[in-house]
Amino acid sequence: LPGTDHAGIATQLVVERSLNAEGLKRTEMGRDAFLERTWAWKEEYGSRITSQIRRLGASCDWSREAFTLSDDLSVSVNEAFSRLHSKGLVYRGTYMVNWSPFLQTAVSDLEVEYSEEDGSLFFFKYPVAGEQGEFLPVATTRPETILGDTAVAVHPEDERYKHLIGKQCVVPRSGGRLIPIIADDYVDMEFGTGALKITPGHDVNDYEIGKRVGLPIINIMNKDGSLNAEAGEYASMDRFDARTQLWKDMEADGLVIKREPYKNRVPRSQRGGEVVEPLISAQWFIKMTPLAEPALKALDSGELKIIPDRFDKVYRYWLEDIRDWCISRQLWWGHRIPVWYIHRSPEDLAAALQGGGDGSNDNYVVAASKAEAKALAPEGSALIQDPDVLDTWFSSGLWPFSTLGWPNEEAEDMKKFYPTQVLETGHDILFFWVARMIMLGLEFTGKLPFSTVFLHGLVRDEQGRKMSKSLGNVVDPLDVIDEFGTDPLRFTLATGNTTGQDLNLSSDRIKANRNFVNKLWNGGKFILFNLTEISDSEWQALQETKFEAEDVTALPLAERWIVSKLHLTIDHVTAAYDRYDFGEAGRSMYTFFWDEFADWYIEASKSRMYGSDPVLAGQTRRVLVYVYCTCLRLLHPFMPFCTEELWQAMPHKGESVSTAAWPASNQHVDQQAVAQFDALQKLVRSVRNVRAEYNVEMGRKIPATIIASETFQQVLKEEGDIVAKLATLDPDALVVVSEFEEGEEEGIRAVVREGLEVFVPLSGLADPLKEIARLTKQGEKIEKILVGLSARLSNPSFADRAPKEVVDGVREDKREAEEKLKLIQERMAQMQQRVKAPTA
């Protein structure tokens, strides 16, 4: 069931910036006109996310696409608010919140990001009233908040300041306002000056101290970040301009001690990016402890499972230390809070709105519409709706059931689909969204909305940095799809890391997986090419190919091996899927298809397909189609587009690979065939290594003698052609013996395993004169490198002055070059002996 939320802050921010570029302000337009403009923006740009989801191949019922601000979901939102309010879980209170001056709204703790930034620590004198020349030294990172101070605190045991406790200070540049010097254990005597200015209106910790000791609260800041009348001569100045000017004025007054660089932990709005201010504000809250307790019990009882389970601790930490949720936002785009304030008459309401008031009071009703509110309010009263909207996460928290018809518990979708089974989402919104869906689901339906939470990592750039417009490293998935295709991107995202870990996305990884898709495609082309001449009856038979135990046993070795390896892969991949280890599932399929099926069996099958035995060719076609089509089913969740296209071209039953049965587990595996073919693979690799070592031309067939036990002699009798083809051996010069005595002929002898060895004569590897010429050039090149390395090491200015790791690196390079040169000289000696020529 696809859909999107309305992204209250982000959407309003984008629209307001667009208006500002036109010289317009939303406050001048009015609420209705602004909302009309925002809906138009949503209609034009709101489909970007869903278009990405569609092109990524998400299997959704697009006929059910939902939007949190739709009429149906708005009914659910109003009902949820009303139910929580009736239970006393929703309340309105004046508390300190995180205020975004640019957006002019409260934002939650989770929507504030802290960054280490260069700033200053300002040390100044707080004059003691009535004590000529005596002062308290105080330090702050925000001098402008001095104007809102209501006390200075010192530790009760601090001998430096004990004598001042109970006296008063004069607030700088305040016109002589006096504040008390108080004693409080909260003050750290060792930090800073040991004297702490208390600003309850603009600091979270000071707010708590102020409440505890009964200090007055002074708010010096307007909602746009400018200072208000409480700031005296600095009123209407921007907060940062006021900081600069106040410090200059204090310096002129002789109150400045010093200013020093300081790394400050600065709170910034996740959406707007501006510095957030702690402000006292009237907001709507939800009491979260009663909601959190059932959500914790669900995890503790095992009813709820989080994957990977290391996030259990994060979930538990948040819920055990949960605070009440500020759900009101001072925005226009969103679900308007369904609260209507009651005034005795229109005149009373008009009076309440004077001077920028919003008409709020303690007398209100909760109602979904004005008509409903009028029915609840006393006759003749005047009503006005709360201007704020609900936090977007409130409506998103209802998503699992609001989209299915709730609050109608008898809705067909609600009865059929709720609760769901698995939620898959990013680990960064475990509390933003996941925990809230769980808490609200349990509260309103009595059931968990899902029993399993699968958390994936975040996609970062290839350097591991978070993607952001400021860094210019944002990757648009549609651009990647246009360049590489959807399936390579999907496969990269699914297999690029372990469960829950962030993914560093690089084009090289996507290119590598595009090559894998090409490998899959070319494998299909090869099979289809070999099916062009078959009869209709064979095509139909291939549609139902299965391999029971007796079928596998009747196959030749190579076929028994690949079918057995497939069955083992099915078990491994299925187990990985079942435990949500999608990366391991994808990597296992990559290894099997590329390393086993394509590189070995398809190559081996060519000797069958193009041979003279039609029965063997038919068996091979059955195995090719069976293994390949099974791979398509296993890979389909990763690569829906190419697997569907290839499936339709292959002999198959059913309309789509997406509805085909999942391959059965625990099918027959011939362990002996696996071991025997594994030995043949090692034999081929041994020959290939010799070819590579002696630089044998790619297509040149060479002679070899295989020394094999009786068992392997029988295997080689059956599969000698495959070994010859894969190792590029000359079939007429391939000899299999039980014992071998090396004579005068020189060669390379390699032990593959017990009962299996191979001997490759040097005479078949290369032309001695050509090889000597090649080795001579290679040796001369390495000798030049050695001369340069030796010169660097013998130079005192390098050996004595360069960093140790650099010198050690050069020494290691020299050692490796000497080893290479020694091998070349030994090889040249072998070649020279063959031509009986003097050393060149």
Side-chain angles (χ1 to χ4, degrees):
L1 196 154
T4 54
D5 65 35
H6 56 280
I9 292 177
T11 302
Q12 181 155 324
L13 179 62
V14 170
V15 175
E16 286 206 55
R17 283 174 174 166
S18 173
L19 291 173
N20 292 343
E22 299 173 24
L24 300 173
K25 293 183 177 180
R26 70 177 170 96
T27 50
E28 297 170 351
M29 295 177 65
R31 188 167 193 143
D32 290 342
F34 176 78
L35 290 177
E36 184 178 344
R37 177 71 174 258
T38 309
W39 275 107
W41 183 92
K42 188 265 177 188
E43 292 303 314
E44 183 175 358
Y45 299 105
S47 62
R48 283 182 174 178
I49 293 175
T50 53
S51 66
Q52 290 177 348
I53 295 172
R54 287 172 185 263
R55 288 198 64 187
L56 279 167
S59 299
C60 300
D61 182 352
W62 292 101
S63 68
R64 296 170 179 267
E65 186 174 351
F67 181 57
T68 48
L69 275 182
S70 67
D71 291 342
D72 290 345
L73 270 63
S74 295
V75 169
S76 301
V77 169
N78 289 334
E79 179 66 20
F81 184 95
S82 177
R83 290 193 189 186
L84 291 172
H85 184 270
S86 66
K87 290 183 68 173
L89 295 177
V90 167
Y91 66 94
R92 191 169 188 261
T94 301
Y95 297 96
M96 178 159 283
V97 298
N98 303 298
W99 187 263
S100 169
F102 177 76
L103 297 169
Q104 294 196 34
T105 180
V107 293
S108 75
D109 292 342
L110 296 172
E111 293 168 315
V112 176
E113 295 180 340
Y114 290 86
S115 60
E116 295 290 330
E117 300 181 16
D118 292 329
S120 297
L121 191 59
F122 300 84
F123 293 81
F124 67 97
K125 301 173 183 178
Y126 232 121
V128 179
E131 303 290 339
Q132 186 67 32
E134 189 160 12
F135 62 87
L136 275 169
V138 178
T140 181
T141 57
R142 299 189 295 158
E144 70 278 10
T145 62
I146 294 171
L147 301 169
D149 289 351
T150 57
V152 176
V154 297
H155 195 279
E157 303 301 323
D158 195 330
E159 295 296 336
R160 295 171 296 176
Y161 309 127
K162 258 186 177 183
H163 67 288
L164 296 176
I165 295 171
K167 295 187 177 184
Q168 293 181 310
C169 285
V170 181
V171 178
R173 308 297 299 182
S174 68
R177 183 166 62 87
L178 300 178
I179 60 175
I181 301 172
I182 64 174
D184 199 288
D185 291 333
Y186 174 80
V187 179
D188 184 353
M189 289 187 286
E190 305 300 323
F191 180 76
T193 66
L196 180 69
K197 62 185 283 300
I198 307 296
T199 320
H202 297 282
D203 183 272
V204 175
N205 295 319
D206 293 0
Y207 176 69
E208 295 300 325
I209 294 174
K211 284 199 303 181
R212 176 159 45 80
V213 301
L215 294 174
I217 297 174
I218 299 176
N219 175 25
I220 64 166
M221 202 167 293
N222 295 314
K223 292 183 176 180
D224 63 357
S226 64
L227 301 196
N228 61 27
E230 292 286 352
E233 61 185 299
Y234 304 97
S236 78
M237 292 182 68
D238 175 78
R239 53 184 167 159
F240 299 118
D241 293 338
R243 175 181 299 177
T244 302
Q245 187 59 50
L246 176 64
W247 191 248
K248 285 182 180 179
D249 293 341
M250 289 176 62
E251 193 169 24
D253 292 343
L255 297 177
V256 167
I257 299 173
K258 63 178 178 177
R259 175 180 178 176
E260 60 184 33
Y262 185 73
K263 273 285 186 190
N264 203 17
R265 192 165 176 261
V266 179
R268 291 189 176 274
S269 166
Q270 190 183 64
R271 296 296 185 186
E274 79 279 16
V275 176
V276 168
E277 287 290 340
L279 281 184
I280 304 297
S281 177
Q283 302 288 338
W284 288 93
F285 296 85
I286 297 178
K287 296 177 181 177
M288 297 305 293
T289 300
L291 300 180
E293 289 171 353
L296 276 168
K297 288 179 181 176
L299 182 67
D300 293 336
S301 67
E303 186 182 359
L304 174 68
K305 183 178 182 181
I306 300 176
I307 300 171
D309 59 9
R310 68 175 181 275
F311 287 104
D312 286 3
K313 292 180 180 179
V314 179
Y315 177 87
R316 184 173 282 106
Y317 171 78
W318 275 332
L319 294 191
E320 288 176 345
D321 192 41
I322 199 165
R323 298 181 181 181
D324 288 355
W325 178 11
C326 176
I327 55 170
S328 49
R329 297 290 181 269
Q330 288 64 54
L331 304 172
W332 288 353
W333 176 248
H335 294 98
R336 195 164 177 180
I337 292 176
V339 166
W340 300 79
Y341 297 106
I342 302 172
H343 296 265
R344 287 179 297 179
S345 66
E347 292 75 21
D348 284 353
L349 174 58
L353 294 176
Q354 287 182 356
D358 60 10
S360 61
N361 58 33
D362 294 332
N363 187 20
Y364 62 84
V365 293
V366 175
S369 66
K370 190 168 186 177
E372 185 181 334
K374 278 187 175 182
L376 296 171
E379 188 174 349
S381 57
L383 300 172
I384 187 168
Q385 190 174 3
D386 192 298
D388 294 349
V389 300
L390 290 165
D391 182 3
T392 301
W393 293 109
F394 183 80
S395 54
S396 296
L398 308 174
W399 185 269
F401 46 95
S402 64
T403 52
L404 299 177
W406 188 88
N408 180 8
E409 300 281 356
E410 298 303 313
E412 184 178 348
D413 284 352
M414 191 72 184
K415 291 194 293 184
K416 184 174 182 180
F417 297 116
Y418 191 86
T420 62
Q421 289 77 43
V422 180
L423 169 74
E424 183 271 338
T425 190
H427 64 67
D428 57 323
I429 53 175
L430 176 57
F431 189 80
F432 273 119
W433 190 37
V434 179
R436 287 166 174 168
M437 283 192 286
I438 292 169
M439 289 186 283
L440 294 174
L442 289 168
E443 170 66 21
F444 293 123
T445 72
K447 300 174 184 177
L448 280 171
F450 30 76
S451 55
T452 300
V453 176
F454 174 73
L455 299 173
H456 63 70
L458 306 182
V459 179
R460 299 181 178 274
D461 72 7
E462 55 187 307
Q463 298 178 40
R465 300 175 302 176
K466 188 174 181 179
M467 293 186 187
S468 70
K469 291 182 180 178
S470 61
L471 291 175
N473 63 345
V474 176
V475 176
D476 186 334
L478 298 186
D479 293 339
V480 177
I481 289 171
D482 289 340
E483 182 175 359
F484 299 107
T486 300
D487 289 334
L489 175 60
R490 285 174 59 104
F491 196 75
T492 302
L493 295 175
T495 63
N497 56 0
T498 56
T499 305
Q501 296 291 335
D502 291 352
L503 170 68
N504 296 349
L505 187 65
S506 71
S507 58
D508 288 343
R509 297 172 82 165
I510 303 172
K511 286 176 185 175
N513 289 322
R514 181 183 62 184
N515 293 341
F516 178 50
V517 174
N518 289 340
K519 194 79 169 179
L520 184 69
W521 189 268
N522 290 334
K525 285 175 61 178
F526 169 78
I527 295 170
L528 288 170
F529 176 78
N530 285 284
L531 299 181
T532 54
E533 302 296 327
I534 66 172
S535 64
D536 291 344
S537 59
E538 185 178 351
W539 183 275
Q540 291 175 358
L542 289 172
Q543 292 177 341
E544 302 182 28
T545 299
K546 292 181 180 179
F547 282 97
E548 304 294 346
E550 58 273 17
D551 300 320
V552 177
T553 304
L555 293 171
L557 174 62
E559 284 66 32
R560 294 201 309 276
W561 167 76
I562 194 62
V563 170
S564 296
K565 292 289 282 188
L566 173 67
H567 291 168
L568 289 170
T569 301
I570 291 170
D571 293 345
H572 187 77
V573 169
T574 302
Y577 272 123
D578 288 345
R579 63 177 184 270
Y580 301 96
D581 192 350
F582 302 120
E584 177 61 22
R587 288 187 291 269
S588 296
M589 278 307 305
Y590 183 103
T591 299
F592 171 77
F593 187 87
W594 194 309
D595 296 349
E596 307 285 6
F597 183 63
D599 282 1
W600 288 92
Y601 184 69
I602 286 183
E603 290 305 312
S605 72
K606 292 175 182 177
S607 64
R608 320 276 210 212
M609 301 296 294
Y610 307 141
S612 58
D613 188 339
V615 175
L616 188 56
Q619 279 184 322
T620 304
R621 286 192 292 270
R622 285 185 65 217
V623 170
L624 283 168
V625 170
Y626 172 70
V627 175
Y628 187 78
C629 288
T630 302
C631 287
L632 293 181
R633 285 185 282 165
L634 293 171
L635 282 168
H636 182 68
F638 295 103
M639 303 176 173
F641 294 103
C642 69
T643 52
E644 184 66 49
E645 186 80 12
L646 291 162
W647 174 268
Q648 296 297 336
M650 290 287 163
H652 69 277
K653 280 204 165 184
E655 293 184 5
S656 169
V657 65
S658 64
T659 57
W662 186 257
S665 298
N666 301 314
Q667 296 187 71
H668 179 71
V669 174
D670 187 332
Q671 295 291 357
Q672 184 182 44
V674 172
Q676 288 178 344
F677 199 85
D678 178 66
L680 295 187
Q681 287 178 299
K682 290 177 180 176
L683 172 64
V684 171
R685 290 191 188 102
S686 295
V687 176
R688 287 176 176 175
N689 289 339
V690 172
R691 295 176 64 93
E693 186 177 354
Y694 283 85
N695 200 35
V696 179
E697 296 93 329
M698 186 175 295
R700 182 178 176 182
K701 296 180 180 180
I702 61 175
T705 299
I706 299 175
I707 307 97
S709 64
E710 186 177 343
T711 300
F712 278 109
Q713 286 191 43
Q714 183 61 36
V715 170
L716 290 164
K717 184 178 179 182
E718 297 176 7
E719 304 294 0
D721 289 346
I722 287 180
V723 172
K725 177 173 180 51
L726 295 174
T728 322
L729 297 174
D730 183 352
D732 297 328
L734 176 59
V735 180
V736 179
V737 297
S738 57
E739 294 182 3
F740 179 74
E741 293 185 7
E742 295 184 31
E744 295 183 358
E745 186 174 19
E746 289 188 273
I748 306 298
R749 186 169 181 174
V751 177
V752 179
R753 54 165 290 174
E754 185 178 354
L756 188 62
E757 299 177 48
V758 62
F759 176 82
V760 181
L762 287 178
S763 59
L765 293 176
D767 182 308
L769 293 176
K770 289 182 179 179
E771 184 66 3
I772 289 171
R774 186 186 71 82
L775 290 170
T776 299
K777 288 183 180 179
Q778 191 175 351
E780 289 172 350
K781 182 178 179 181
I782 292 177
E783 284 174 344
K784 287 181 181 178
I785 293 173
L786 270 172
V787 169
L789 294 172
S790 298
R792 291 184 71 187
L793 291 171
S794 62
N795 186 343
S797 63
F798 172 77
D800 297 338
R801 297 178 185 176
K804 182 178 181 300
E805 58 271 19
V806 175
V807 176
D808 290 344
V810 173
R811 287 196 178 111
E812 179 62 20
D813 291 343
K814 181 173 179 286
R815 186 189 64 78
E816 291 179 0
E818 288 171 341
E819 288 182 358
K820 289 179 182 177
L821 185 60
K822 182 180 178 182
L823 290 173
I824 290 171
Q825 290 169 342
E826 290 174 353
R827 189 82 50 78
M828 285 181 66
Q830 291 176 335
M831 294 296 108
Q832 288 162 355
Q833 187 175 1
R834 286 178 55 196
V835 296
K836 306 297 183 182
T839 303

